[in-house]
Structures are given as C-alpha cells and as structure tokens.
Amino acid sequence: MHAEPHAPTKTIHAVFLDVDGTYADYGVVPQSHARAVRAARTAGHKVLLCTGRPVAMLPEHILEAGFDGLVASAGAYVEVDGEVLMDRRFPAEMAARTLAALDVHDAIYVLESPEALHVRASAEPRLREIIESHFSQRPDGRKTGSSAILGSLTTIPADPSFAKISVFEAPVSVGSIAAEIGADVAVVENSIADEGRHTGELFRRGISKADGVAVAIERLGIDRADTIAFGDGENDLEMIAYAGLGVAIEGSHPGLLVLADRTALPPSRDGIAAAFAELGLI
C-alpha cells in the first residue's frame, strides 16, 4: 500500500510596507496598491505597514485596504491583529532633555505618540505652512496627505509622552541638536524632503523598524526567511537588511539601494502592485 504524495505546502509570507514614498505617494495610496494588498491577503499572505509614522498619523485612507498589523513610529510600536505587542517611548528624563535642546534652537517640531501629534502653540502656524507647502507639490495638486498631520495636532501637554520627534525646521542641523541631547538619541532624514530647511527625525538609539518586524513575525509564526520588506528611506535600512527579501523603491536612499535584493517602481507608477505580481504574492 502506497501513501498518496502530499501537495507542496504553500509558503506564507509576511510583507512589510513602508508608507511614504513606497505604499503612498504624498500621503495618497494608489488604488492599485490597495487592490494588491487585498489580493495578497486573500491568497493567505500577511501584509503589514512598517512606517516611521505614529498610529495617530495613519488615517483611514491609508488603512482602508486592511492590514494584518503594523509597525509604527519607526519600530517603537507594534500591533498585530489589533493587539499591541510593543509601545516604547522616550523615558521622562530623556524627553525633558530633548525638548529643552529643541526649544533652545526655536525648532519647529512635532512630538509623535500613538494617540496624538503634539506641537507648541506658537509653532503651529509655521508648521501648517510647511506641511501645506510640501503636499501641494503632488503632481495633481491634491493635498489629501496633509490631513494626516494637520488633522491630528494638539498642544503639547505638561508631561508629554512620545516615541519619536519630527523636526520640520531648525536654524542648525538636526544632527547637531541630537549631539547636544546625548548619545541615547539618534537622527535620520525626515520623510518630508528638506526643501532648504534643517529637518530630521529624532528617536531612541537602538530602536529600528527591524525590531518591530522581529516582534511581529514572532507573533505571526513566520520565519525571517519568509519576510519581504519594501522601503525607500534612511529609516528603512535596518528593515531591508533584516528581511528575507529586501525591496528598495527606485530612487531610494543610496544606502538602501546597495542593501536591497531588488528594486520596485515608485508609487506614482504602481510599484507595489507590479512587485506583488512579479513575486507571486497575487
């Protein structure tokens, strides 16, 4: 008596998508990308966002395709199937030290937490001007992307709790401000282009998107070798290096292009949809 041969088991992948410049273009998600995410999940794959944005900066028009989870705040926050697995924020002493350094330089910045985006009341008019100007550069003139930031702004409370800081304007480089704060704070490029200003994102040194990916796939029960990550910015470097397959968007940060296993077209050319098809995810 001979046993019937078993059909090969389909590999289930965990796919991690950066948002700005990867899944979305100036904050707007191409419909082809949303359809690709739905199709990949229908096929059994797990698709998660992996972004520098905090949860408070992820509006419905970005989440509408449906995801199995998300890594937010550049790896400081992880959620899978609605359960929060990690939520790491600045300790109180580090937070106070960081805000003091930023305020000495009259920097325009946003404190990012899962719940809200905080800004100094005196800085809000200039921040709104910067954000509106950036998103108005979208080729078709749509400003939908700006609402994710401007619609979530609140005044900084007495004892703010936050995971990351986005600096939109400063009189000196954000790197030099980070050096003043101390070695426990690091800086990467801001996803909103410098455009002649000093910009950057301050975060706790030692935390990256790769940490969030590791936490998420442990909960999902998916091997690191079966992960696929897409990104375009400096804060995607660790994620692309960590993933089983790293995909950089054409025109990405130079270091990312060196690390990546392959490239994909930008969102303005439906890059995620094309890549999902080429990789057999849909």
Side-chain angles (χ1 to χ4, degrees):
M1 182 175 175
H2 299 286
E4 291 294 325
H6 291 287
T9 302
K10 175 185 174 181
T11 299
I12 299 300
H13 292 92
V15 183
F16 293 85
L17 301 174
D18 170 55
V19 172
D20 296 290
T22 301
Y23 182 61
D25 187 30
Y26 284 90
V28 178
V29 178
Q31 284 303 306
S32 64
H33 284 190
R35 287 193 296 268
V37 167
R38 294 188 190 102
R41 295 184 69 216
T42 297
H45 302 293
K46 303 297 183 180
V47 185
L48 302 88
L49 292 179
C50 192
T51 177
R53 293 184 181 219
V55 176
M57 207 188 292
L58 291 171
E60 183 56 34
H61 66 261
I62 287 179
L63 299 173
E64 68 172 354
F67 294 89
D68 295 286
L70 59 92
V71 176
S73 299
Y77 179 95
V78 182
E79 182 181 313
V80 173
D81 292 331
E83 180 183 359
V84 177
L85 304 179
M86 185 162 71
D87 185 359
R88 300 175 66 182
R89 310 191 188 196
F90 276 51
E93 185 276 332
M94 185 192 301
R97 186 169 14 109
T98 300
L99 297 190
L102 289 167
D103 290 339
V104 161
H105 291 288
D106 292 322
I108 306 296
Y109 61 88
V110 172
L111 306 182
E112 301 177 3
S113 75
E115 302 83 17
L117 306 177
H118 302 299
V119 62
R120 295 284 185 208
S122 59
E124 185 171 342
R126 175 56 181 154
L127 176 66
R128 288 183 175 275
E129 180 183 344
I130 292 169
I131 298 300
E132 293 284 9
S133 175
H134 171 76
F135 284 100
S136 69
Q137 296 179 48
R138 182 177 159 88
D140 61 9
R142 294 171 63 190
K143 297 184 181 181
T144 307
S146 64
S147 63
I149 301 174
L150 301 181
S152 301
L153 293 177
T154 62
T155 303
I156 296 178
D159 296 302
S161 175
F162 55 91
K164 190 166 70 72
I165 303 173
S166 285
V167 181
F168 291 90
E169 186 173 72
V172 298
S173 74
V174 180
S176 66
I177 296 176
E180 293 175 18
I181 297 167
D184 48 359
V185 172
V187 61
V188 295
E189 295 176 354
N190 197 302
S191 58
I192 290 183
D194 191 290
E195 297 164 0
R197 304 179 312 276
H198 292 295
T199 68
E201 298 182 1
L202 297 170
F203 62 98
R204 292 178 61 183
R205 187 177 297 279
I207 296 177
S208 75
K209 289 185 177 183
D211 298 297
V213 170
V215 170
I217 62 175
E218 181 179 7
R219 175 53 59 91
L220 291 168
I222 293 177
D223 291 338
R224 175 180 174 183
D226 296 326
T227 58
I228 303 173
F230 292 79
D232 76 308
E234 186 180 6
N235 69 359
D236 295 314
L237 287 167
E238 293 87 353
M239 175 181 72
I240 293 297
Y242 180 85
L245 180 71
V247 184
I249 305 303
E250 290 183 2
S252 290
H253 183 280
L256 207 65
L257 293 170
V258 172
L259 281 176
D261 299 297
R262 60 182 293 159
T263 60
L265 295 170
S268 60
R269 298 177 62 190
D270 303 313
I272 293 301
F276 274 30
E278 292 168 5
L279 292 171
L281 296 171
I282 56 178

